[in-house]
DNA sequence: TCTGGGGTCCTAGGACCC
DNA sequence: TCTGGGGTCCTAGGACCC
């Protein structure tokens, strides 16, 4: 079996390009919520030295000088295009693992490396034809090697035409000895520093290291990486959908908030979002956390706190969660701070008992269940937030946030530059 | 003026039990 | 004075990912 890792090129930027061909070959970036920092860049933008995650105010001169096209993120659009890409990929194998919004692993049923390469080239053609999204494919006997191959395909798009294979052992030896250890999937900053201090600098060197020694240094994860680099698969394909174990909803505010009432609105909105997601996957939550914080970037008094409550029997009812969340918020709120962010976490998620006749105790009453079903149905049919709790309010803080999220940024950006 | 959001897995250490 | 050993469960925090 050969594993393919498909990764969309500069995915969010490519989505913007798919609907605006005029952006082809221009530098494009997409910004985070609140238009805070850069979360996607095309090759042209990378070539200008725009780093991943850089705050946008630090590069505004660069943007103006090189006429970089700037977009707020539009996750509804990216989600749609992602689904179409995955749908197209599923035509190539029944064994597809959607790994993230822009990545998927495919177990290819092929006889040899050559067949795998030809199939991958067809994927590149078809996905682009159907969706307008360019992809790269990495091939290998394990997931980690497929990831490495994908990096190489991306780095040398011209020569590889988007497909690179590490199936052949000789190619592996050559390429791994040129591949920096810190670029391996699963090796982060801390682990890379540890490895380098032991003079392990390339993927090849890591693959030749003593497994026990690496396990001591980096825990069991490190040992798995060594095995995978040596073509011994220990990360299996995840083919079935697993419900999430936690659901987090949080946002930075457009402007700092001081009042408890405003924080309450924000929290109620986070609960609403998270509870919808919770019900969509058929789960109930076993605990609830609320947190608030000031901006760590400001030279002002800092405060961070969180509070957690166990929900023994589990619930997925929005108003119950809002009520509990308010109690938690009140217990940690302190006046006199500029709050910049808040959020909630639903944890210990478990599948809801199938029906009221269940032997197990169910916290939510049939009446509440019915109410939630109706609420979700209406919002699904008529659009998000058609029906919502009064506690969610109509606060301009919130208006502003959701507007920024969906609205194109180009106009606002040019206004910003002109008024400067 | 202006610095994202949402996840998973693993480990260490404390509480508790016999 | 001397103060076991082993097991489980839970949680906080670290590290990593996209």
């Amino acid at each position: 079996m050969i594993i393919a890792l498909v990764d969309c090129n500069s995915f969010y930027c490519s989505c913007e390009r798919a609907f605006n061909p005029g952006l082809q070959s221009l530098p494009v970036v997409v910004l985070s919520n609140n238009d805070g920092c850069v979360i996607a860049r095309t090759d042209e933008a990378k070539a200008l030295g725009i780093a991943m995650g850089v705050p946008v105010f630090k590069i505004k001169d660069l943007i103006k000088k090189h006429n970089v096209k700037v977009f707020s993120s539009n996750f509804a659009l990216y989600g749609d295009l992602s689904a179409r890409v995955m749908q197209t990929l599923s035509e190539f194998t029944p064994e597809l693992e959607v790994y993230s919004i822009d990545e998927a692993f495919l177990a290819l049923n092929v006889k040899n490396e050559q067949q795998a390469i030809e199939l991958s080239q067809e994927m590149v053609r078809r996905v682009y034809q159907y969706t307008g999204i360019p992809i790269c494919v990495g091939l290998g006997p394990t997931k980690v090697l497929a990831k490495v191959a994908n990096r190489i395909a991306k780095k040398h798009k011209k020569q590889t035409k988007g497909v690179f294979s590490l199936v052949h052992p000789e190619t592996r030896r050559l390429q791994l000895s040129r591949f920096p250890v810190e670029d391996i999937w699963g090796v982060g900053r801390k682990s890379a520093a540890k490895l380098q201090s032991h003079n392990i600098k390339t993927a090849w060197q890591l693959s030749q290291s003593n497994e026990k020694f690496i396990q001591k240094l980096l825990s069991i994860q490190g040992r798995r990486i060594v095995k995978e680099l040596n073509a011994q698969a220990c990360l299996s394909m995840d083919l079935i959908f697993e419900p999430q174990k936690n659901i987090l909803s949080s946002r930075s505010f457009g402007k700092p908030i001081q009042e408890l009432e405003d924080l309450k609105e924000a929290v109620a909105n986070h609960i609403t979002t998270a509870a919808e997601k919770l019900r969509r996957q058929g789960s109930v939550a076993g605990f609830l956390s609320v947190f608030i914080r000031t901006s760590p970037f400001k030279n002002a008094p800092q405060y961070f706190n969180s509070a957690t409550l166990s929900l023994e029997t589990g619930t997925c009812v929005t108003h119950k969660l809002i009520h509990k969340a308010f109690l938690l918020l009140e217990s940690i709120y302190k006046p006199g701070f500029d709050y910049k962010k808040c959020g909630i976490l639903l944890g210990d998620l478990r599948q809801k008992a199938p029906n009221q006749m269940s032997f197990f105790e169910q916290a939510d009453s049939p009446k509440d269940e019915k109410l939630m079903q109706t609420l979700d149905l209406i919002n699904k049919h008529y659009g998000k937030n058609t029906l919502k709790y009064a506690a969610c309010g109509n606060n301009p803080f919130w208006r502003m946030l959701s507007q920024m999220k969906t609205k194109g940024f180009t106009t606002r950006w040019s206004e910003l530059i002109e008024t400067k």
Side-chain angles (χ1 to χ4, degrees):
Chain A
M1 188 186 61
I2 294 178
I3 294 181
L5 186 267
V6 171
D7 191 320
C8 301
N9 303 346
S10 315
F11 183 56
Y12 300 160
C13 296
S14 295
C15 291
E16 300 296 342
R17 276 180 173 168
F19 287 91
N20 187 348
L23 298 171
Q24 235 33 265
S25 76
L26 294 180
V28 178
V29 298
V30 170
L31 306 183
S32 62
N33 285 310
N34 280 323
D35 300 329
C37 50
V38 173
I39 56 169
R41 315 154 290 158
T42 60
D43 288 341
E44 296 81 3
K46 287 174 199 169
L48 294 174
I50 297 176
M52 185 68 175
V54 68
V56 72
F57 70 84
K58 284 190 179 171
I59 55 162
K60 56 185 175 183
D61 291 341
L62 211 57
I63 287 171
K64 197 180 173 189
K65 187 172 169 198
H66 297 280
N67 192 24
V68 178
K69 302 297 174 190
V70 181
F71 292 88
S72 285
S73 39
N74 181 349
F75 288 108
L77 173 71
Y78 310 152
D80 278 358
L81 273 170
S82 170
R84 285 167 59 184
V85 169
M86 299 306 168
Q87 170 64 37
T88 309
L89 291 177
S90 72
E91 294 169 5
F92 289 86
T93 174
E95 293 185 68
L96 174 83
E97 176 187 338
V98 178
Y99 177 68
S100 74
I101 192 165
D102 71 334
E103 273 180 63
F105 288 102
L106 288 78
L108 302 182
N109 182 18
V110 288
K111 292 209 173 58
N112 53 46
E113 185 182 27
Q114 189 52 34
Q115 266 190 19
I117 290 173
E118 284 164 16
L119 201 61
S120 303
Q121 289 165 341
E122 176 58 20
M123 282 181 215
V124 174
R125 267 195 299 276
R126 212 184 292 177
V127 169
Y128 190 73
Q129 185 191 342
Y130 288 6
T131 67
I133 302 292
I135 61 170
C136 283
V137 188
L139 296 169
T142 64
K143 282 185 166 180
V144 168
L145 285 169
K147 271 276 200 183
V148 171
N150 186 281
R151 289 284 289 242
I152 296 169
K154 271 206 160 141
K155 195 170 171 191
H156 307 283
K157 284 196 198 81
K158 282 238 171 69
Q159 297 94 307
T160 62
K161 296 202 174 71
V163 178
F164 192 77
S165 169
L166 283 177
V167 170
H168 201 284
E170 278 308 308
T171 320
R172 234 159 35 222
R173 184 183 183 125
L174 175 68
Q175 294 297 333
L176 291 187
S177 60
R178 299 175 177 171
F179 198 83
V181 82
E182 66 267 25
D183 288 348
I184 300 171
W185 185 46
V187 177
R189 268 223 320 272
K190 300 270 178 172
S191 302
K194 283 185 197 166
L195 290 169
Q196 280 152 0
S197 77
H198 286 89
N199 231 355
I200 300 170
K201 293 175 178 161
T202 68
W204 179 255
Q205 287 172 327
L206 179 57
S207 76
Q208 299 304 302
S209 302
N210 179 281
E211 277 184 32
K212 278 191 183 157
F213 168 72
I214 297 297
Q215 177 163 2
K216 246 181 134 176
L217 198 66
L218 306 182
S219 89
I220 191 72
Q221 318 250 49
R223 186 174 194 154
R224 285 185 192 138
I225 291 171
V226 174
K227 281 186 184 294
E228 287 254 323
L229 286 173
N230 284 299
Q232 300 166 44
C234 40
L235 304 174
S236 57
M237 293 284 292
D238 257 328
L239 300 177
I240 29 174
F241 169 80
E242 292 287 343
Q244 280 176 222
K245 296 172 180 171
N246 299 291
I247 295 174
L248 178 84
S249 179
S250 72
R251 280 281 182 285
S252 300
F253 306 124
K255 283 180 187 167
I257 283 180
Q258 293 82 28
E259 303 303 320
L260 178 62
E261 287 311 305
D262 290 329
L263 286 172
K264 277 186 166 180
E265 279 195 12
V267 163
N269 278 279
H270 287 310
I271 293 282
T272 302
T273 308
E276 270 169 18
K277 204 164 163 186
L278 183 69
R279 293 192 292 272
R280 227 178 296 140
Q281 69 168 39
S283 302
V284 293
F287 74 78
L288 163 68
S289 288
V290 174
F291 71 87
I292 50 178
R293 72 165 316 136
T294 51
S295 170
F297 301 107
K298 282 224 162 172
N299 191 13
Q302 296 286 313
Y303 180 63
F304 168 87
N305 209 347
S306 69
T308 301
L309 183 71
S310 164
L311 305 163
E312 287 100 22
T313 47
T315 182
C316 63
V317 174
T318 303
H319 51 261
K320 279 183 169 172
L321 288 164
I322 290 179
H323 178 243
K324 307 252 190 222
F326 281 2
L327 297 178
L328 291 172
L329 176 61
E330 282 159 9
S331 76
I332 53 174
Y333 171 77
K334 279 191 192 166
F337 288 98
D338 277 349
Y339 293 100
K340 185 60 183 166
K341 184 173 181 174
C342 78
I344 67 101
L345 175 73
L346 300 178
D348 186 20
L349 306 190
R350 42 203 188 227
Q351 286 309 102
K352 181 156 64 173
N355 59 54
Q356 305 307 323
M357 303 301 287
S358 167
F359 173 78
F360 300 101
E361 189 186 356
Q362 190 83 46
D364 298 333
S365 69
K367 196 179 148 195
D368 279 340
E369 297 238 334
K370 193 81 195 156
L371 183 60
M372 289 302 105
Q373 276 174 23
T374 312
L375 180 76
D376 290 339
L377 210 61
I378 289 174
N379 285 333
K380 190 182 170 193
H381 197 87
Y382 296 100
K384 196 170 152 62
N385 284 332
T386 301
L387 207 57
K388 64 177 180 180
Y389 286 91
C392 295
N394 271 316
N395 195 309
F397 286 114
W398 283 97
R399 278 252 182 89
M400 196 168 75
L401 279 178
S402 57
Q403 265 179 17
M404 291 171 109
K405 220 171 94 178
T406 51
K407 207 172 121 189
F409 187 64
T410 25
T411 24
R412 282 183 0 99
W413 184 257
S414 39
E415 282 164 16
L416 204 66
I417 286 179
E418 277 154 24
T419 53
K420 200 189 157 220

